PDB file of all heavy atoms in Angstrom:
ATOM      1  N   GLU A 689     -17.973  13.322 -17.091  1.00 92.00           N
ATOM      2  CA  GLU A 689     -19.422  13.061 -17.180  1.00 92.00           C
ATOM      3  C   GLU A 689     -19.883  12.941 -18.662  1.00 92.00           C
ATOM      4  O   GLU A 689     -20.858  12.328 -18.976  1.00 92.00           O
ATOM      5  CB  GLU A 689     -20.283  14.093 -16.438  1.00 92.00           C
ATOM      6  CG  GLU A 689     -20.034  14.074 -14.908  1.00 92.00           C
ATOM      7  CD  GLU A 689     -20.334  12.761 -14.208  1.00 92.00           C
ATOM      8  OE1 GLU A 689     -21.258  12.063 -14.644  1.00 92.00           O
ATOM      9  OE2 GLU A 689     -19.588  12.418 -13.260  1.00 92.00           O
ATOM     10  N   GLY A 690     -19.117  13.649 -19.487  1.00 92.00           N
ATOM     11  CA  GLY A 690     -19.390  13.658 -20.955  1.00 92.00           C
ATOM     12  C   GLY A 690     -18.226  13.027 -21.693  1.00 92.00           C
ATOM     13  O   GLY A 690     -17.195  12.608 -21.064  1.00 92.00           O
ATOM     14  N   LYS A 691     -18.275  13.027 -23.024  1.00 92.00           N
ATOM     15  CA  LYS A 691     -17.224  12.394 -23.767  1.00 92.00           C
ATOM     16  C   LYS A 691     -15.879  13.089 -23.561  1.00 92.00           C
ATOM     17  O   LYS A 691     -15.777  14.279 -23.453  1.00 92.00           O
ATOM     18  CB  LYS A 691     -17.565  12.461 -25.287  1.00 92.00           C
ATOM     19  CG  LYS A 691     -18.692  11.545 -25.624  1.00 92.00           C
ATOM     20  CD  LYS A 691     -18.940  11.469 -27.085  1.00 92.00           C
ATOM     21  CE  LYS A 691     -20.070  10.456 -27.368  1.00 92.00           C
ATOM     22  NZ  LYS A 691     -20.344  10.370 -28.764  1.00 92.00           N
ATOM     23  N   VAL A 692     -14.824  12.310 -23.511  1.00 92.00           N
ATOM     24  CA  VAL A 692     -13.439  12.774 -23.339  1.00 92.00           C
ATOM     25  C   VAL A 692     -12.911  13.033 -24.761  1.00 92.00           C
ATOM     26  O   VAL A 692     -12.766  12.110 -25.531  1.00 92.00           O
ATOM     27  CB  VAL A 692     -12.554  11.827 -22.595  1.00 92.00           C
ATOM     28  CG1 VAL A 692     -11.103  12.298 -22.511  1.00 92.00           C
ATOM     29  CG2 VAL A 692     -13.113  11.541 -21.234  1.00 92.00           C
ATOM     30  N   ARG A 693     -12.618  14.308 -25.076  1.00 87.00           N
ATOM     31  CA  ARG A 693     -12.263  14.652 -26.442  1.00 87.00           C
ATOM     32  C   ARG A 693     -10.771  15.031 -26.597  1.00 87.00           C
ATOM     33  O   ARG A 693     -10.379  15.450 -27.638  1.00 87.00           O
ATOM     34  CB  ARG A 693     -13.145  15.798 -26.899  1.00 87.00           C
ATOM     35  CG  ARG A 693     -14.552  15.418 -26.942  1.00 87.00           C
ATOM     36  CD  ARG A 693     -15.364  16.426 -27.743  1.00 87.00           C
ATOM     37  NE  ARG A 693     -16.785  16.106 -27.691  1.00 87.00           N
ATOM     38  CZ  ARG A 693     -17.438  15.212 -28.462  1.00 87.00           C
ATOM     39  NH1 ARG A 693     -16.745  14.485 -29.308  1.00 87.00           N
ATOM     40  NH2 ARG A 693     -18.703  15.035 -28.357  1.00 87.00           N
ATOM     41  N   THR A 694     -10.020  14.874 -25.526  1.00 86.00           N
ATOM     42  CA  THR A 694      -8.551  15.145 -25.634  1.00 86.00           C
ATOM     43  C   THR A 694      -7.798  13.858 -25.275  1.00 86.00           C
ATOM     44  O   THR A 694      -8.212  13.146 -24.359  1.00 86.00           O
ATOM     45  CB  THR A 694      -8.148  16.349 -24.775  1.00 86.00           C
ATOM     46  OG1 THR A 694      -6.771  16.545 -25.005  1.00 86.00           O
ATOM     47  CG2 THR A 694      -8.357  16.083 -23.296  1.00 86.00           C
ATOM     48  N   HIS A 695      -6.729  13.589 -25.976  1.00 84.00           N
ATOM     49  CA  HIS A 695      -5.981  12.408 -25.727  1.00 84.00           C
ATOM     50  C   HIS A 695      -4.503  12.677 -25.646  1.00 84.00           C
ATOM     51  O   HIS A 695      -3.646  11.863 -26.054  1.00 84.00           O
ATOM     52  CB  HIS A 695      -6.273  11.352 -26.817  1.00 84.00           C
ATOM     53  CG  HIS A 695      -7.719  11.003 -26.962  1.00 84.00           C
ATOM     54  ND1 HIS A 695      -8.307  10.187 -26.066  1.00 84.00           N
ATOM     55  CD2 HIS A 695      -8.647  11.447 -27.772  1.00 84.00           C
ATOM     56  CE1 HIS A 695      -9.606  10.070 -26.363  1.00 84.00           C
ATOM     57  NE2 HIS A 695      -9.842  10.885 -27.409  1.00 84.00           N
ATOM     58  N   THR A 696      -4.169  13.834 -25.086  1.00 89.00           N
ATOM     59  CA  THR A 696      -2.766  14.236 -24.970  1.00 89.00           C
ATOM     60  C   THR A 696      -2.348  13.911 -23.532  1.00 89.00           C
ATOM     61  O   THR A 696      -3.160  13.738 -22.626  1.00 89.00           O
ATOM     62  CB  THR A 696      -2.591  15.768 -25.161  1.00 89.00           C
ATOM     63  OG1 THR A 696      -3.471  16.409 -24.261  1.00 89.00           O
ATOM     64  CG2 THR A 696      -2.964  16.170 -26.592  1.00 89.00           C
ATOM     65  N   PRO A 697      -1.031  13.795 -23.296  1.00 91.00           N
ATOM     66  CA  PRO A 697      -0.582  13.529 -21.906  1.00 91.00           C
ATOM     67  C   PRO A 697      -1.084  14.616 -20.920  1.00 91.00           C
ATOM     68  O   PRO A 697      -1.259  15.724 -21.254  1.00 91.00           O
ATOM     69  CB  PRO A 697       0.957  13.628 -22.034  1.00 91.00           C
ATOM     70  CG  PRO A 697       1.243  13.210 -23.445  1.00 91.00           C
ATOM     71  CD  PRO A 697       0.103  13.804 -24.218  1.00 91.00           C
ATOM     72  N   VAL A 698      -1.296  14.125 -19.687  1.00 94.00           N
ATOM     73  CA  VAL A 698      -1.858  15.055 -18.653  1.00 94.00           C
ATOM     74  C   VAL A 698      -0.736  15.967 -18.194  1.00 94.00           C
ATOM     75  O   VAL A 698       0.296  15.499 -17.686  1.00 94.00           O
ATOM     76  CB  VAL A 698      -2.407  14.199 -17.504  1.00 94.00           C
ATOM     77  CG1 VAL A 698      -2.776  15.111 -16.329  1.00 94.00           C
ATOM     78  CG2 VAL A 698      -3.615  13.391 -17.966  1.00 94.00           C
ATOM     79  N   GLN A 699      -0.964  17.217 -18.352  1.00 92.00           N
ATOM     80  CA  GLN A 699       0.042  18.256 -17.961  1.00 92.00           C
ATOM     81  C   GLN A 699      -0.230  18.820 -16.595  1.00 92.00           C
ATOM     82  O   GLN A 699       0.637  19.187 -15.820  1.00 92.00           O
ATOM     83  CB  GLN A 699       0.102  19.362 -18.983  1.00 92.00           C
ATOM     84  CG  GLN A 699       0.444  18.923 -20.372  1.00 92.00           C
ATOM     85  CD  GLN A 699       1.863  18.296 -20.438  1.00 92.00           C
ATOM     86  OE1 GLN A 699       2.802  18.777 -19.888  1.00 92.00           O
ATOM     87  NE2 GLN A 699       1.953  17.114 -21.166  1.00 92.00           N
ATOM     88  N   MET A 700      -1.544  18.983 -16.245  1.00 94.00           N
ATOM     89  CA  MET A 700      -1.945  19.589 -14.982  1.00 94.00           C
ATOM     90  C   MET A 700      -2.902  18.648 -14.276  1.00 94.00           C
ATOM     91  O   MET A 700      -4.105  18.843 -14.323  1.00 94.00           O
ATOM     92  CB  MET A 700      -2.544  20.986 -15.221  1.00 94.00           C
ATOM     93  CG  MET A 700      -1.543  21.916 -15.882  1.00 94.00           C
ATOM     94  SD  MET A 700      -2.267  23.535 -16.259  1.00 94.00           S
ATOM     95  CE  MET A 700      -2.468  24.128 -14.636  1.00 94.00           C
ATOM     96  N   PRO A 701      -2.424  17.609 -13.609  1.00 97.00           N
ATOM     97  CA  PRO A 701      -3.226  16.573 -13.033  1.00 97.00           C
ATOM     98  C   PRO A 701      -3.973  17.034 -11.767  1.00 97.00           C
ATOM     99  O   PRO A 701      -3.587  17.956 -11.091  1.00 97.00           O
ATOM    100  CB  PRO A 701      -2.267  15.467 -12.686  1.00 97.00           C
ATOM    101  CG  PRO A 701      -0.960  16.230 -12.389  1.00 97.00           C
ATOM    102  CD  PRO A 701      -0.956  17.387 -13.343  1.00 97.00           C
ATOM    103  N   ASN A 702      -5.042  16.294 -11.499  1.00 96.00           N
ATOM    104  CA  ASN A 702      -5.748  16.438 -10.205  1.00 96.00           C
ATOM    105  C   ASN A 702      -5.119  15.468  -9.196  1.00 96.00           C
ATOM    106  O   ASN A 702      -5.176  15.712  -7.989  1.00 96.00           O
ATOM    107  CB  ASN A 702      -7.235  16.043 -10.348  1.00 96.00           C
ATOM    108  CG  ASN A 702      -7.957  16.926 -11.339  1.00 96.00           C
ATOM    109  OD1 ASN A 702      -8.068  16.590 -12.499  1.00 96.00           O
ATOM    110  ND2 ASN A 702      -8.374  18.092 -10.910  1.00 96.00           N
ATOM    111  N   LEU A 703      -4.511  14.440  -9.702  1.00 97.00           N
ATOM    112  CA  LEU A 703      -3.883  13.380  -8.869  1.00 97.00           C
ATOM    113  C   LEU A 703      -2.639  12.870  -9.554  1.00 97.00           C
ATOM    114  O   LEU A 703      -2.618  12.660 -10.752  1.00 97.00           O
ATOM    115  CB  LEU A 703      -4.890  12.207  -8.718  1.00 97.00           C
ATOM    116  CG  LEU A 703      -4.355  10.926  -8.116  1.00 97.00           C
ATOM    117  CD1 LEU A 703      -3.915  11.092  -6.693  1.00 97.00           C
ATOM    118  CD2 LEU A 703      -5.415   9.767  -8.218  1.00 97.00           C
ATOM    119  N   VAL A 704      -1.614  12.643  -8.737  1.00 98.00           N
ATOM    120  CA  VAL A 704      -0.362  11.984  -9.212  1.00 98.00           C
ATOM    121  C   VAL A 704      -0.217  10.724  -8.411  1.00 98.00           C
ATOM    122  O   VAL A 704      -0.243  10.773  -7.140  1.00 98.00           O
ATOM    123  CB  VAL A 704       0.862  12.876  -8.997  1.00 98.00           C
ATOM    124  CG1 VAL A 704       2.145  12.090  -9.297  1.00 98.00           C
ATOM    125  CG2 VAL A 704       0.771  14.171  -9.867  1.00 98.00           C
ATOM    126  N   ILE A 705      -0.107   9.623  -9.075  1.00 98.00           N
ATOM    127  CA  ILE A 705       0.159   8.328  -8.437  1.00 98.00           C
ATOM    128  C   ILE A 705       1.557   7.885  -8.700  1.00 98.00           C
ATOM    129  O   ILE A 705       1.951   7.772  -9.828  1.00 98.00           O
ATOM    130  CB  ILE A 705      -0.832   7.216  -8.892  1.00 98.00           C
ATOM    131  CG1 ILE A 705      -2.297   7.600  -8.618  1.00 98.00           C
ATOM    132  CG2 ILE A 705      -0.498   5.855  -8.304  1.00 98.00           C
ATOM    133  CD1 ILE A 705      -3.322   6.671  -9.153  1.00 98.00           C
ATOM    134  N   ILE A 706       2.333   7.724  -7.644  1.00 98.00           N
ATOM    135  CA  ILE A 706       3.736   7.323  -7.752  1.00 98.00           C
ATOM    136  C   ILE A 706       3.827   5.854  -7.401  1.00 98.00           C
ATOM    137  O   ILE A 706       3.689   5.472  -6.234  1.00 98.00           O
ATOM    138  CB  ILE A 706       4.638   8.184  -6.839  1.00 98.00           C
ATOM    139  CG1 ILE A 706       4.494   9.650  -7.244  1.00 98.00           C
ATOM    140  CG2 ILE A 706       6.075   7.706  -6.969  1.00 98.00           C
ATOM    141  CD1 ILE A 706       5.231  10.631  -6.357  1.00 98.00           C
ATOM    142  N   VAL A 707       4.024   5.039  -8.450  1.00 97.00           N
ATOM    143  CA  VAL A 707       4.065   3.571  -8.265  1.00 97.00           C
ATOM    144  C   VAL A 707       5.429   3.130  -7.788  1.00 97.00           C
ATOM    145  O   VAL A 707       5.529   2.238  -6.969  1.00 97.00           O
ATOM    146  CB  VAL A 707       3.722   2.890  -9.617  1.00 97.00           C
ATOM    147  CG1 VAL A 707       3.824   1.381  -9.485  1.00 97.00           C
ATOM    148  CG2 VAL A 707       2.379   3.332 -10.138  1.00 97.00           C
TER     149      VAL A 707
END
Side-chain angles (χ1 to χ4, degrees):
E689 297 299 326
K691 291 186 178 180
V692 177
R693 299 196 183 277
T694 184
H695 302 283
T696 59
V698 171
Q699 301 298 316
M700 299 177 69
N702 301 93
L703 169 65
V704 173
I705 299 176
I706 301 173
V707 180

